[in-house]
Amino acid sequence: MSRKYILSIQGEGRGHMTQALSMYDMLVEAGHTVCAVILGSSGTRDVPRFFFDKIKCPIIQLQSPNFVCDKDNKSINITRSVTHNFKKIRTFRDSLKQIDFLMKEHQPDVVINFFDLLIGLYYRFYKPKAKLICVAHQYIYFHQDFEFPAGHWLDKAAIKFFTRLTSTGSSKNLGLSFYKIHTNNEEVVIVPPLLRKEIFELQTGKDDFYLIYLVNSGYFEEVLSWHKNNPEIVLHCFTDRPDKINSSYEFDKTKLFVHAINDTLFLEMMSKSKGLASSAGFESVCEAMYLGKPVMMVPIQGHYEQFCNSRDAYKAGAGIFSDSFDLSKLTNFSSTFDASNPWFKNWVANAKHRIYNEIISV
């Protein structure tokens, strides 16, 4: 039976966007209708062009509560985040009204939320009839067997509270995971990563360069510092402000290449690289794991989710974690890294089937 869906996405995380793209393709291929996509963001980060190119339905961008970084665009500033979001309460209220208009216009059967707070707030205050399904790695926090890093009790309580707010009114929560965890409660179902289809078509190699993904361009100075001390090693760096970096810094542009975010080029280069250095975003780490590439994870300062991801991915064998972009750690680690990971490929292989069955069962 064909259904109508609306997808809602936390637009500050590009992993949520690629997961939503995979979900969009899955639903359309199965004969369902995706009426609209709601993209919540702070407006400070550019939305990649590929997202608009691949979604063939209306995309509505709305202001949504999000973290605010420090002036150097590196660490998360909690005080500024709280103050900034409090000042925009009226804006967020208008966003909720726009969601209500869309819901009444399209009358969807199901809303699938990729960790955006607006939808959680909408279901809390408006209580619509459409079923809600929540999909993100963060919902693994609801599982009693997930191991949080020791300490950080306040951060742990805060992220679990925030995650619950995003899933208010949810009929089912799907927790994307690096590895299998037995589902033994009704609050969350653990499922494999929802990787984009292009990754399964890539041929892997090992060219003589390392790949870097900077969510926050403020970390480029650390990359540049390492590059100047190791000028013989070729680096390809993807970030959302390449023009500013290329014009603001002097460096050897035949050894250090700075690219704009491009999904196709990034995946192609990952498949050929000797390893990846990035913040500990769930999706990019999973892609590297599938391609058999070692990862050095540098969580954004103050970003507890990424701190948890880096420890969880380390446990899953993805690579190592670090407090800075000291790429010597990655180059040393990559020389002994075992790229064979059939267990992970087997885990990912039936992701589409398992996730689709969970979606249509609601």
Side-chain angles (χ1 to χ4, degrees):
M1 181 180 67
S2 177
R3 291 177 176 173
K4 294 195 296 182
Y5 290 82
I6 282 181
L7 307 185
S8 177
I9 308 159
Q10 196 267 88
E12 295 297 294
R14 290 194 173 89
H16 297 300
M17 281 188 262
T18 58
Q19 291 160 13
L21 281 172
S22 298
M23 182 68 73
Y24 173 86
D25 290 338
M26 185 191 308
L27 294 172
V28 172
E29 288 170 8
H32 301 288
T33 300
V34 179
C35 310
V37 171
I38 299 168
L39 188 64
S41 69
S42 63
T44 60
R45 202 184 296 277
D46 293 337
V47 179
R49 185 70 249 167
F50 70 81
F51 187 77
F52 295 104
D53 292 339
K54 294 184 177 181
I55 296 287
K56 306 303 180 183
C57 70
I59 298 174
I60 297 87
Q61 293 182 257
L62 299 177
Q63 288 281 304
S64 176
N66 275 292
F67 291 120
V68 176
C69 289
D70 62 8
K71 59 183 178 61
D72 297 322
N73 196 26
K74 289 180 68 173
S75 64
I76 288 175
N77 188 308
I78 298 298
T79 302
R80 287 183 62 193
S81 297
V82 172
T83 303
H84 172 79
N85 288 317
F86 183 78
K87 290 179 178 178
K88 300 190 75 172
I89 285 179
R90 288 186 178 179
T91 300
F92 302 148
R93 191 179 298 161
D94 290 340
S95 294
L96 293 178
K97 291 178 180 178
Q98 291 183 65
I99 292 174
D100 191 48
F101 176 82
L102 287 169
M103 293 288 285
K104 290 176 179 177
E105 178 185 9
H106 295 291
Q107 296 289 314
D109 301 299
V110 182
V111 174
I112 302 179
N113 185 27
F114 293 86
F115 205 61
D116 190 59
L117 180 58
L118 280 177
I119 287 296
L121 295 176
Y122 176 73
Y123 269 77
R124 176 174 292 274
F125 295 119
Y126 286 77
K127 296 179 172 54
K129 293 181 180 179
K131 295 291 186 179
L132 175 64
I133 302 173
C134 292
V135 182
H137 174 58
Q138 287 86 344
Y139 298 112
I140 198 174
Y141 301 153
F142 294 160
H143 199 288
Q144 63 186 37
D145 293 336
F146 177 74
E147 298 179 5
F148 284 92
H152 304 273
W153 65 268
L154 185 58
D155 290 322
K156 175 182 174 181
I159 190 56
K160 290 185 75 172
F161 175 73
F162 183 87
T163 302
R164 290 192 188 283
L165 285 181
T166 68
S167 60
T168 301
S170 177
S171 297
K172 181 172 288 190
N173 301 314
L174 301 183
L176 308 177
S177 176
F178 294 117
Y179 46 83
K180 186 175 182 179
I181 306 178
H182 180 65
T183 298
N184 56 8
N185 63 47
E186 297 180 356
E187 192 167 15
V188 61
V189 178
I190 303 303
V191 293
L194 187 57
L195 301 183
R196 40 190 157 167
K197 59 185 179 183
E198 290 83 359
I199 199 166
F200 304 109
E201 303 167 357
L202 293 170
Q203 298 294 320
T204 58
K206 199 173 183 181
D207 292 355
D208 195 21
F209 71 89
Y210 288 91
L211 187 65
I212 303 166
Y213 176 45
L214 298 180
V215 175
N216 289 10
S217 58
Y219 285 95
F220 181 76
E221 291 186 358
E222 293 182 6
V223 174
L224 182 59
S225 176
W226 188 88
H227 163 70
K228 289 182 176 178
N229 292 323
N230 303 271
E232 74 284 0
I233 297 180
V234 178
L235 304 175
H236 284 268
C237 178
F238 283 77
T239 185
D240 58 355
R241 296 181 181 178
D243 295 338
K244 181 178 179 181
I245 287 175
N246 282 316
S247 62
S248 301
Y249 296 96
E250 292 292 331
F251 55 89
D252 184 355
K253 293 181 174 61
T254 65
K255 293 291 186 179
L256 172 55
F257 301 86
V258 182
H259 307 276
I261 301 297
N262 179 301
D263 66 323
T264 303
L265 181 61
F266 179 76
L267 281 185
E268 288 178 355
M269 299 200 73
M270 185 191 292
S271 70
K272 299 174 184 177
S273 70
K274 296 173 71 174
L276 169 70
S278 76
S279 59
F282 175 77
E283 197 74 5
S284 58
V285 173
C286 286
E287 291 169 345
M289 290 177 70
Y290 188 85
L291 295 171
K293 303 298 178 179
V295 187
M296 184 180 79
M297 296 160 281
V298 186
I300 294 172
Q301 295 173 29
H303 202 307
Y304 183 64
E305 290 173 33
Q306 292 193 354
F307 180 79
C308 291
N309 283 355
S310 66
R311 274 58 181 174
D312 197 32
Y314 170 77
K315 184 173 69 174
I320 56 176
F321 51 82
S322 174
D323 294 331
S324 66
F325 280 89
D326 177 4
L327 298 176
S328 296
K329 296 179 181 178
L330 178 59
T331 59
N332 293 334
F333 176 73
S334 64
S335 64
T336 59
F337 179 72
D338 182 4
S340 62
N341 55 358
W343 67 269
F344 185 74
K345 288 192 174 183
N346 289 336
W347 174 231
V348 170
N350 63 352
K352 182 176 178 179
H353 176 73
R354 290 188 60 176
I355 292 172
Y356 180 72
N357 284 342
E358 294 292 345
I359 295 294
I360 63 172
S361 70
V362 173

